[in-house]
Amino acid sequence: MADQDEAEAEAPEAEEGSEASGGKKKKLIIFIIVVLVVLGGATGITIYMLMGSGDTAGEEDSSAESQKATKPPAIYFAMEPPFTVDFQVGGRQRYVQLSITVMGRDPEAMAAVKQHEPLIRNNLVLLIASEDFQTLQTPEGKEMLKQKATESIQQVLQQEIGKPGIETVLFTGFVMQ
């Protein structure tokens, strides 16, 4: 009888152990499902926010992107060799050496820059030589020269092809001695 009582006592404990492990498995499955639902919801909200909610700010962004998409890529033309101009400053001879690159978006205009490079170079050398050496040492003087150089090239292109053709001039090297 003692053996029978022990067997009966062990049977409920075995059932309780299997129920406990079954309960743990159910809790784990429920936890995994809850985590997946939360992650899915967070992903959905993120996508909704990124795609825009249909307000005007989203429309402005998309119109700005479409304008950028239709804008042709920049074309660069490096004017080689660098420009070297001498100055007389306080009885001493000084030099400015500029490496200039022209930026535009119209292939026809950039071809015209190359074709008319001798005239453009002449005008730029005269422009640089007419500047004050002390002024060119300041950031404002360099920016002013950049604007004047851009306008000078645009004037040549306006006369030759009927449009300004370029956006800006870039100083890729600026040495003063």
Side-chain angles (χ1 to χ4, degrees):
M1 281 262 216
D3 291 332
Q4 193 177 18
D5 289 335
E6 285 179 22
E8 288 176 9
E10 288 178 11
E13 288 176 10
E15 289 176 16
E16 286 177 14
S18 66
E19 286 177 14
S21 68
K24 287 182 182 178
K25 286 182 182 179
K26 286 180 184 178
K27 287 180 183 178
L28 180 63
I29 291 172
I30 290 173
F31 177 74
I32 291 172
I33 290 173
V34 168
V35 168
L36 290 175
V37 169
V38 169
L39 288 175
T43 303
I45 289 172
T46 303
I47 291 172
Y48 177 75
M49 297 297 279
L50 290 176
M51 298 301 285
S53 59
D55 61 355
T56 57
E59 292 173 11
E60 289 173 7
D61 290 342
S62 64
S63 66
E65 288 175 9
S66 66
Q67 288 177 353
K68 287 180 183 176
T70 59
K71 193 173 188 179
I75 303 169
Y76 299 95
F77 176 72
M79 300 187 81
E80 293 293 334
F83 294 82
T84 304
V85 178
D86 63 320
F87 292 87
Q88 287 294 330
V89 180
R92 296 186 63 189
Q93 189 151 4
R94 302 286 186 164
Y95 293 95
V96 172
Q97 184 178 45
L98 289 172
S99 296
I100 294 179
T101 300
V102 178
M103 186 191 97
R105 298 190 186 278
D106 181 3
E108 176 188 335
M110 297 308 286
V113 169
K114 186 173 183 175
Q115 179 183 356
H116 300 290
E117 185 177 6
L119 177 60
I120 292 170
R121 288 184 72 84
N122 175 67
N123 292 352
L124 290 176
V125 167
L126 295 175
L127 173 68
I128 297 165
S130 70
E131 295 294 315
D132 179 53
F133 187 81
Q134 302 299 329
T135 304
L136 289 178
Q137 291 179 328
T138 66
E140 295 82 17
K142 291 174 181 152
E143 185 61 36
M144 188 174 61
L145 179 61
K146 177 182 169 184
Q147 291 173 356
K148 287 180 180 179
T150 301
E151 291 169 5
S152 175
I153 295 172
Q154 287 175 337
Q155 286 175 353
V156 170
L157 293 177
Q158 186 69 39
Q159 291 171 356
E160 298 299 327
I161 64 171
K163 57 185 173 182
I166 67 161
E167 285 184 28
T168 190
V169 167
L170 306 169
F171 294 148
T172 54
F174 201 113
V175 179
M176 298 181 76
Q177 181 178 347

